[in-house]
Amino acid sequence: MKKVLGACPLDCPDACSWVVTVEDGQAVSMRGNAEHPMTRGALCVKVNRYLEQTRAQDRILHPMRRVGRKGEGRFERISWDEALGEIAGRLDEVTAAYGGQAVWPFQGTGSLGYIQGLEGFAGRRFFNVLGASIHDPTICSIAGSRGLKYTLGTSGGMDPEDFARSKLILLWGTNPLTSGHHAWKFIQDARREGAHVVAIDPVRTRSAAQADEHLAPIPGTDAALALGLLNVIVRMGAQDQEFIDEHTFGWDAFRARIEEFPPARVAEITGLPEDRIVALGERVARTRPTAIRATQGIQRHAGGGMTLRALACIPGVTGDWALPGGGLCYSTSGHFKLNLPGLVRIDLLPHPVRTLSMTRLGEGLLDVDDPPVKALFVIGANPVGSNPHQTKVRRGLAREDLFTVVLEHFPTDTTDYADIVLPATMQTEHLDVIAGYGHLYLVWNEPAVAPPGECLSTSETFRRLARRMGMTEPSLYDSDEDLARQLLDSPHPSLAGITVEGLREQGFARLNVARPFLPFADGFPTTSGRLEFYSKRATRVGHDPLPGFTPPADAGGGLVLISAASHHFLNTTFGNNPELRRRSGAPVIVLHPDDAAARGISDRDAVRIYNDRGSFEAVAEVSDRVRPGVAATTKGHWAKFNGGANANATVDERDSDMGGGAVFHDNRVEVARAEPT
Ligand SMILES: Nc1nc2c(c(=O)[nH]1)N[C@H]1C(S)=C(S)[C@@H](COP(=O)(O)OP(=O)(O)OC[C@H]3O[C@@H](n4cnc5c(=O)[nH]c(N)nc54)[C@H](O)[C@@H]3O)O[C@H]1N2
Ligand SMILES: Nc1nc2c(c(=O)[nH]1)N[C@H]1C(S)=C(S)[C@@H](COP(=O)(O)OP(=O)(O)OC[C@H]3O[C@@H](n4cnc5c(=O)[nH]c(N)nc54)[C@H](O)[C@@H]3O)O[C@H]1N2
Ligand code: SF4
Ligand SMILES: [Mo]
């Protein structure tokens, strides 16, 4: 019997450290690592079933070749030798006829690992030698990150462990009890010391229901609310003038912008009562330290970048950025100064290549020319389930002249369109390094067991393909451990003393940063070295120099559909787990009683949700958990188990204001009772 330390690879801020017990070469149990200060011995409702998933009946265990039509999901077993031979042959043809850029390595968030997953763009060295297009992972968080960079110079914010020191916590467009519950412990610690917790969310989520106070604004109006709160603060004269003078840039201009957002106007924009806006502004004005937790949900809107840009200004006006327990946390990933260039080796590209945006897969496959995409590798992604505009994505993937390879664990909605499916290892079967985006630790993942069947890791798959294609670049053949060492080889002081050996031994290591962690103790990493209320950088790419309010783009009639994190799935991962599917039940859409009545819909009715992009089915829950005008469902349901579509059938393939992010929650739909069958 042995215990093996590992790390959860999923796209979740908590990046848990886990302990796998192995007996006779089999993993017999997995539990959260009690030593890890964030994990504290507990995983979550999803990952408690991880070992069960590794042994699931539908696990893909050998390479397969399509025999049916694209989308049908009919395959025959082939050997690795045949699979690699066919892929190598097709890549030679495509690159000879169209050049390397006709190849799109479409990489998703199934694993955030540096060696096997998205953070390290696993396989990218191979694609560099090939001259393949660059894949820009825009689907999740980019708009908010870009917005924060204008204000702060980085998307990295405060340490969630420091929420324990806060006296007021704004849970702003975030649902931590579902989408990363380990931060809750620190929020509860703060409450025991008298902190007040306010949820700002159009939906009364699990987290909002637990808060001391809940405000439900109209979706996509948060930047106006931020400016309104600042309006109240400034009218009280409660700004921290010393902090503003010493650490910020552009105050006079920003102050004039704040004047444009008096509470009455903000009440109109946000749909919130004016007195509640004033009361919250006054509370922020008099409570130090105040922490804002805002995560990715809030920025899946037309103005998502501008929203985070505005939110990050609040602690700039109150001076909270200088206080332990004050500031804002969107992500901590910007604090990990690893040697990513040394890992990814973009320098191996023979010439500069174009970038293709993850959120624009449909367009990329249907409309992009010069050259068209002729070969698609889907790695750790399920775009049919998770990308915007499902119908367009399906049309793109159905192209007969497109050669599609999918590396997967399970027969997803996307593998149905593959020409070749390659069996991938799961986290207990390969080596990896993970960094949380909700804490400040690197977490090590040692393989615990041998891969089942013929599964191979992403890194090994591309080593073998490189060999098969006769590539001679030596770094294509570096071992996983070599890659981990290269990644850690960084001169940054926050990584001093963090080694492969130490990580292996402990399972994790905290970055060498102070505790409590003041991210801007040494200044802001902007051009001016200050927090920039006014951003010259933003104007250079055509943005307003000041934070402002960008209205939702999908205006007009119908209801705003929010399709946020499901408690039982992680994106579409676990969407095939029988027990989690049973607990989740069929997709639900929550409608306000007024909106349901206007449509003749009763609780538990089967309904169809539709717009001109597509439609899906769900069961109605009539409840005031949503504000009028808003409908709420969850992401992650597999289309093939739910009548062939999920919420993304209705979402548009349209960019947010910054970075080309997705606009999942900026989506108007109509809802009607389903025809009785
Ligand atoms: N269980 C579970 N955990 C997950 C995931 C999952 O699918 N399931 N997904 C993971 C991933 S990929 C990510 S990126 C993170 C995301 O984590 P979160 O940021 O928590 O993501 P969401 O659930 O999309 O959105 C959070 C909340 O924002 C609200 N919201 C939507 N629009 C607005 C708005 O305009 N204003 C305000 N104020 N609120 C708004 C939604 O109602 C929702 O309750 O979670 C990760 N964790
Ligand atoms: N409607 C709506 N849609 C959304 C969102 C929303 O809020 N609303 N949120 C969006 C967000 S935040 C995100 S991040 C995206 C996520 O979208 P995707 O990146 O497509 O993530 P998943 O749907 O979880 O699919 C990941 C797949 O990777 C596979 N996988 C896991 N680990 C590995 C591995 O090591 N190797 C290989 N080869 N495969 C692996 C899993 O089996 C799974 O099928 O979804 C987006 N979609
Ligand atoms: S999904 Fe999040 S909470 Fe669950 S085990 Fe993974 S990192 Fe931890
Ligand atoms: Mo995400």
Side-chain angles (χ1 to χ4, degrees):
M1 196 190 89
K2 60 174 178 171
K3 303 231 184 250
V4 183
L5 292 166
C8 178
L10 300 180
D11 186 351
C12 169
D14 296 2
C16 288
S17 169
W18 68 39
V19 186
V20 180
T21 304
V22 179
E23 269 177 39
D24 300 328
Q26 300 289 318
V28 294
S29 80
M30 174 188 280
R31 60 173 179 75
N33 185 351
E35 310 292 315
H36 189 284
M38 197 86 187
T39 307
R40 289 178 183 251
L43 298 171
C44 66
V45 65
K46 311 168 295 294
V47 175
N48 286 338
R49 313 203 84 82
Y50 198 84
L51 289 183
E52 177 184 304
Q53 279 293 86
T54 65
R55 294 188 281 263
Q57 286 236 305
D58 53 347
R59 177 98 190 254
I60 296 169
L61 296 173
H62 42 74
M64 300 190 295
R65 177 198 287 129
R66 180 168 60 85
V67 291
R69 274 183 298 109
K70 290 204 175 192
E72 255 180 15
R74 288 201 291 124
F75 294 94
E76 63 178 3
R77 178 173 178 174
I78 56 173
S79 67
W80 266 103
D81 194 50
E82 284 173 279
L84 293 174
E86 186 161 335
I87 296 168
R90 290 295 292 265
L91 285 179
D92 281 338
E93 282 167 31
V94 164
T95 52
Y98 297 93
Q101 295 189 95
V103 181
W104 186 349
F106 184 96
Q107 193 156 33
T109 64
S111 163
L112 292 190
Y114 280 94
I115 313 299
Q116 309 298 347
L118 183 64
E119 292 291 357
F121 295 93
R124 186 63 228 185
R125 287 181 179 183
F126 168 86
F127 290 108
N128 289 338
V129 171
L130 210 59
S133 290
I134 302 268
H135 170 76
D136 190 3
T138 48
I139 204 158
C140 175
S141 60
I142 195 156
S145 299
R146 289 283 170 89
L148 289 169
K149 279 179 191 159
Y150 290 125
T151 305
L152 304 173
T154 171
S155 60
M158 61 183 289
D159 179 354
E161 289 182 49
D162 290 336
F163 292 152
R165 301 168 192 268
S166 309
K167 291 296 173 206
L168 172 59
I169 300 173
L170 308 184
L171 301 175
W172 204 330
T174 186
N175 182 11
L177 281 176
T178 283
S179 54
H181 72 87
H182 292 84
W184 198 257
K185 154 97 185 42
F186 300 96
I187 294 169
Q188 291 298 84
D189 286 351
R191 284 174 120 172
R192 264 191 296 279
E193 301 295 318
H196 184 83
V197 176
V198 181
I200 304 171
D201 195 309
V203 185
R204 192 164 71 243
T205 60
R206 275 177 199 251
S207 311
Q210 297 290 314
D212 298 301
E213 201 183 328
H214 174 212
L215 275 76
I218 293 170
T221 64
D222 303 272
L225 179 58
L227 291 163
L229 298 179
L230 287 173
N231 187 287
V232 175
I233 292 164
V234 169
R235 277 195 201 187
M236 291 167 70
Q239 68 270 29
D240 182 338
Q241 202 59 48
E242 198 180 313
F243 184 88
I244 292 171
D245 293 342
E246 280 174 28
H247 302 292
T248 71
F249 177 79
W251 171 242
D252 290 339
F254 186 48
R255 190 183 171 130
R257 173 59 53 87
I258 290 169
E259 304 286 345
E260 295 167 28
F261 287 85
R265 177 176 177 218
V266 172
E268 207 160 291
I269 297 173
T270 60
L272 294 170
E274 187 178 336
D275 60 334
R276 302 239 5 228
I277 297 168
V278 173
L280 184 59
E282 288 172 350
R283 192 186 279 281
V284 175
R286 62 170 191 264
T287 316
R288 302 278 73 72
T290 289
I292 300 173
R293 176 62 165 160
T295 48
Q296 294 73 37
I298 191 177
Q299 49 95 63
R300 311 200 199 288
H301 289 276
M306 204 51 129
T307 298
L308 267 299
R309 197 178 157 196
L311 261 58
C313 292
I314 297 176
V317 174
T318 56
D320 276 303
W321 279 122
L323 306 177
L328 175 146
C329 183
Y330 176 69
S331 168
T332 53
S333 60
H335 299 308
F336 292 83
K337 306 291 185 197
L338 294 154
N339 182 12
L340 202 57
L343 182 69
V344 178
R345 295 293 308 274
I346 285 296
D347 59 291
L348 296 176
L349 277 170
H351 47 74
V353 296
R354 70 178 173 197
T355 296
L356 296 168
S357 170
M358 182 171 183
T359 46
R360 293 274 192 166
L361 179 61
E363 178 190 79
L365 295 179
L366 294 170
D367 306 333
V368 165
D369 255 325
D370 199 24
V373 175
K374 287 286 187 178
L376 179 74
F377 281 76
V378 179
I379 308 165
N382 181 9
V384 173
S386 284
N387 258 68
H389 214 325
Q390 196 160 59
T391 32
K392 193 168 175 184
V393 167
R394 283 191 194 278
R395 260 190 289 132
L397 289 172
R399 257 178 53 199
E400 277 305 327
D401 64 325
L402 177 72
F403 178 64
T404 301
V405 180
V406 181
L407 284 65
E408 252 300 346
H409 303 149
F410 295 107
T412 65
D413 290 318
T414 302
T415 57
D416 286 354
Y417 290 86
D419 291 284
I420 301 281
V421 179
L422 298 176
T425 45
M426 290 179 71
Q427 190 74 347
T428 43
E429 301 149 10
H430 57 222
L431 184 144
D432 216 336
V433 181
I434 309 285
Y437 57 96
H439 62 54
L440 294 172
Y441 303 84
L442 276 171
V443 193
W444 181 261
N445 184 73
E446 185 73 13
V449 296
E454 298 179 354
C455 294
L456 292 182
S457 66
T458 306
S459 55
E460 181 60 19
T461 299
F462 286 103
R463 283 191 285 261
R464 293 198 188 185
L465 192 55
R467 196 167 296 124
R468 184 61 180 246
M469 294 189 73
M471 291 177 176
T472 53
E473 163 56 38
S475 70
L476 294 175
Y477 302 99
D478 288 350
S479 71
D480 293 349
E481 197 173 312
D482 290 339
L483 295 171
R485 288 184 197 284
Q486 291 161 20
L487 175 71
L488 293 177
D489 183 14
S490 158
H492 200 272
S494 67
L495 289 162
I498 300 182
T499 60
V500 164
E501 287 68 30
L503 281 171
R504 251 198 180 126
E505 173 83 23
Q506 293 290 319
F508 61 89
R510 184 174 161 97
L511 294 179
N512 284 308
V513 293
R515 188 199 292 273
F517 174 58
L518 291 174
F520 307 114
D522 302 323
F524 291 85
T526 54
T527 331
S528 63
R530 290 160 168 251
L531 181 148
E532 298 194 344
F533 295 128
Y534 186 102
S535 170
K536 290 181 191 159
R537 264 187 64 215
T539 56
R540 261 181 251 131
V541 283
H543 296 302
D544 190 331
L546 294 166
F549 166 56
T550 310
D554 205 1
L559 304 172
V560 181
L561 180 67
I562 291 180
S563 47
S566 149
H567 200 71
H568 298 99
F569 310 137
L570 199 134
N571 295 317
T572 67
T573 303
F574 294 109
N576 61 331
N577 179 277
E579 175 58 17
L580 291 171
R581 272 181 71 194
R582 190 188 65 76
R583 291 198 203 179
S584 155
V588 166
I589 184 161
V590 190
L591 300 171
H592 189 271
D594 298 348
D595 293 321
R599 291 163 178 80
I601 293 168
S602 313
D603 198 50
R604 306 301 300 163
D605 274 355
V607 296
R608 198 169 73 87
I609 300 96
Y610 62 95
N611 58 24
D612 59 4
R613 295 178 280 273
S615 72
F616 69 100
E617 289 155 21
V619 176
E621 178 191 327
V622 178
S623 159
D624 67 359
R625 283 206 293 127
V626 293
R627 57 165 296 132
V630 171
T633 186
T634 47
K635 61 176 171 175
H637 302 273
W638 286 26
K640 63 169 81 173
F641 302 146
N642 293 288
N646 68 15
N648 284 324
T650 59
V651 175
D652 198 5
E653 207 179 65
R654 177 161 41 78
D655 288 351
S656 64
D657 53 348
M658 294 176 194
V663 292
F664 294 106
H665 306 326
D666 187 346
N667 179 27
R668 293 271 178 167
V669 297
E670 203 30 270
V671 185
R673 291 230 317 260
E675 304 297 323
T677 46

